[in-house]
Amino acid sequence: MSENAVRTVSESEESNDEPTRKPEPNAEESETSQRSADSTESADPADATEPQTGASAVVNALESAGVETLFGVQGGAIMPVYDALGKSELRHVTMAHEQAAAHAADAYGIVAGTPGVCLATSGPGATNLVTGLADADMDSDPVVALTGQVPTNFVGNDAFQETDTTGVTAPVTKANYFAGETETVGDTVGEAFALASEGRPGPTLVDLPKDVTLAETDAQESTSETPEHYNPQEKPDADAVAEAARTLEAADRPLILAGGGVIKGDASPELRAFATEHDIPVATSMPAVGAFPEDHDRSVGMVGMHGTGPANMAVTHCDTLLAVGCRFDDRLTGGVDSFAPEATVVHIDIDPAEISKNVYAEVPVVGDAGTALSEIGAEMESPPDANQWREQVADWQDEYPMTYHAPEDGPVKPQFVVEAFDAVTADDTIVTTGVGQHQMWAVQFWTFTEPRTWVSSHGLGTMGYGLPAAIGARMAAEDDQQVVCFEGDGSFLMTVQELSVAVRENMDMTVAVLNNRYIGMVRQWQDAFFDGNRVASEYDWCPDFGTLAEAFGAQGFTVSHPDEVAETVAAALEYDGPSVIDFHIDPGENVYPMVKSGGANGKFALSEEQL
Amino acid sequence: MSGEDSTDEETANGQSASIPSAGMPGPAPDERPHPEGRRNAQGVRIDPDAEAEPDRRTAVVSALVEHEPGVLSQVSGLFSRRQFNIESLTVGRTTVDGHARITLVVEETDHGIEQARKQLAKLPTVIQVGELDDNAVRAELVLLKVRGDEPDKVHAITEMYEGQTLDAGPRTITVQITGDQRKIDDAIDAFRQFGIIEIARTGQTALARGDTPTTPGEEPGHSTEPTDEQYPETTETDSDDDT
């Protein structure tokens, strides 16, 4: 069939009048290729200097979709795409490992709001992306992955560096494609790009066999459209809006629970307007941190396992819960039987499958977060009469302050480090983190006020996310925007090789390693639930991170006394390029408040004795 | 260095005495009020004194999908990774070129069936999903190979279930029975007396009765005109949908 035909280099020269085409050594493909049935008509003389291939169609599709930056690692099967990239204006950031390319693309997507793009070759390259894709999938982050694949006639034969990439990634992508045809490969990439951000965002993947990207084609223009039957409901049903408005008007103890969908849907302004106008307290899930200013009177902070006291008390005692773009993850709900046990749930989500998945919604509103909030707000005739409730919430805010004990003569408290950074950085500073205790201290003790400034791994909980995310965030951020990465010692070690990328690109960022010589969250759980049997959680073998940073060519610092914190933070932020501060923190410090896994949110523990 | 020791020996040095050296200030869990209400495992708000664990039921879900390679594995992968309890799954073409129908029989709670339908509808290759009511037309085909010692009796039972004998030899007889699940189960029971050697069952396939579309919004051929010519007759070309 002509659609599947593959043209070799030598054959295409015969049938093509492009004069300056450079023959390339592709013996492996030539032997196994078929000849095209139809020959290419003479190309426009102006374009005749470069052969137009499947790979150039891929790059054209990216360019016409508005892509500027990509993250990836070279390799055999993806080489044709890189060849075409090299002839384009697109900026490619070579990462040290493909997992980091996916995380960087993910963070880029969070900060920019448009899909981040990552590339990898076939086989191990593609499988190394899987963790990053799974991470993006859990957090609904827009990512497009392009993977090389062995030539189509080798597929299924266990060829060198072959993996069933679409099979492997199907459970962790929103959609994936095996691009079997050169004529349509550009359209496929365009569709993948459109799908990644349309409706509920998520990662998409296009697997690109080498013969498909090498073959010549006239089809260079591509569309960026989602499939015909993909029509997410943006505008909510009027009856649902009316019912939501009536429910909220009648509430005595209303609470807004903002989820990550508020940020994905750019609905932060609508959320702020709605909460302010109707004077309703706002709690957020972890992915929604920054959607509502945490220094606002109505903010109660984050709900869930390590959420604030007032947020967990409010969610437990509210009678009406307006959940916006939130999927009721178990880290947020605790035990579902004790979650908001008296609340009528109004749930706004663009994905109908999220409604009543984990928590039953009495009032489902399918639609875009911002549109739904505006329409419900406009439909409400009066704000809920909830003065008593607001006073109650204020009392909880007084009763359960987020604070910590910090003796002046040391050791360094991790919360103090986070506050020290927050104090001297601008509101739009982007914070990225790995996963563990340090992540929780960062989210708890930094006061987030702007959306798209909190970049972390929520659903999958991927240790090592912080540094590659900082690289992706740096590429998406404004030049004058600061990027601070909090990592733990164990988490940092998982992707520390990416420091080489930050150094090579002279990326201005500061990595704060909250080093307690444990994988601390595991140690905290071992102490609480496993009789202190600290199996495999002691990391006293960790390297000296300051020296390690110097070895990579970054600026390294070490801090072991509280007095040194402020000046070192200032020096690291001042440094133009990547810097790493190894904070030797109090190794016994734990994360509180804490809701036991599967426990009741309102019964959060404030110390180990209360678990 | 031991972390725990270092925090325990600290005193509230210059700090508010209300902040403990390990942990946070505030009333303890048992000093806080707790609401009476609760939810069940499905997140449904229930009467605290009543137990409301819903029963499982069998549902027939019909999904109209793009007829392209990989769809079946997407659907079966979705069902296995989300732990939906699947009874049977059948696939075949429809009157529309490039479309196929997947008929799934699932045994789940109402909540599980709802989730299965919604998650199925999210797959990019799935066009429409519907659940069929009890009234729907359902059928299954089974091939049964039994011992050939008593051909007359086997023939009589086959007739009784309106089946066909497909193969008869001195040692084995193979018959085909079609019908709803109950009829198939009964027939298998009836043939058991002869000694069943092998069974192949297709699983159920189903259509809604009358002019009701099997999946909502489905646009098949109209009941007022024949649709035979729309049905793709050959199998030599697989659908060429863009992927």
Side-chain angles (χ1 to χ4, degrees), chain A residues 171 174-175 177 188 200 229 313 316-317 336-337 339-345 351-353 355-358 360 362 399-407 410 527 534 586-588 592-593 602-604 606-607 610, chain B residues 1-4 6-7 10-13 15 19-29 32-45 66 81-82 111 115 118-119 122 124-127 240 242-243:
Chain A
K174 181 174 169 181
Y177 303 86
T188 305
R200 178 181 184 169
H229 58 261
M313 289 304 281
T316 302
H317 292 271
V336 81
D337 58 344
F339 178 76
E342 296 187 332
T344 299
V345 174
D351 180 357
I355 305 232
S356 297
K357 184 184 80 178
N358 294 339
Y360 180 76
E362 280 84 358
E399 271 184 293
Y400 299 104
M402 290 301 291
T403 185
Y404 56 96
H405 174 70
D527 288 352
R534 297 173 173 178
D586 180 352
Y592 293 104
K603 295 192 177 180
F604 53 85
L606 296 166
S607 64
Q610 295 178 355
Chain B
M1 60 177 150
S2 162
E4 283 195 327
S6 65
T7 50
E10 300 297 347
T11 53
N13 189 6
Q15 290 281 329
I19 305 172
S21 60
M24 289 186 147
R32 301 171 209 151
H34 290 284
E36 293 292 300
R38 68 181 186 92
R39 294 176 186 274
N40 68 10
Q42 271 76 43
V44 181
R45 205 152 51 102
E66 306 269 6
R81 73 175 173 270
R82 290 198 182 263
H111 175 261
Q115 259 301 300
K118 285 174 168 178
Q119 295 294 344
K122 269 174 76 170
T125 42
V126 172
I127 302 160
D240 282 325
D242 296 348
T243 46

Side-chain angles (χ1 to χ4, degrees), chain A residues 296-300 310 392-401:
Chain A
H296 191 286
D297 282 349
R298 288 290 157 256
S299 170
V300 292
Q392 173 65 75
V393 172
D395 286 347
W396 284 325
Q397 286 172 312
D398 292 339
E399 271 184 293
Y400 299 104

Side-chain angles (χ1 to χ4, degrees), chain A residues 443-488:
Chain A
V443 75
Q444 288 178 332
F445 289 90
W446 191 285
T447 305
F448 289 91
T449 57
E450 299 302 323
R452 303 191 185 280
T453 58
W454 165 245
V455 181
S456 192
S457 169
H458 308 107
L460 198 67
T462 309
M463 286 175 70
Y465 178 85
L467 178 57
I471 290 170
R474 180 71 273 167
M475 294 304 293
E478 303 295 330
D479 286 345
D480 59 353
Q481 220 174 341
Q482 288 168 300
V483 175
V484 175
C485 167
F486 289 100
E487 271 288 6

Side-chain angles (χ1 to χ4, degrees), chain B residues 106-127:
Chain B
V106 288
E107 197 199 318
E108 278 290 337
T109 60
D110 279 337
H111 175 261
I113 291 163
E114 183 74 9
Q115 259 301 300
R117 288 176 49 181
K118 285 174 168 178
Q119 295 294 344
L120 197 53
K122 269 174 76 170
L123 291 176
T125 42
V126 172
I127 302 160

Side-chain angles (χ1 to χ4, degrees), chain A residues 317-336:
Chain A
H317 292 271
C318 65
D319 72 345
T320 305
L321 185 66
L322 174 61
V324 190
C326 136
R327 62 185 179 86
F328 294 108
D329 178 79
D330 57 274
R331 281 294 190 272
L332 176 120
T333 60
V336 81

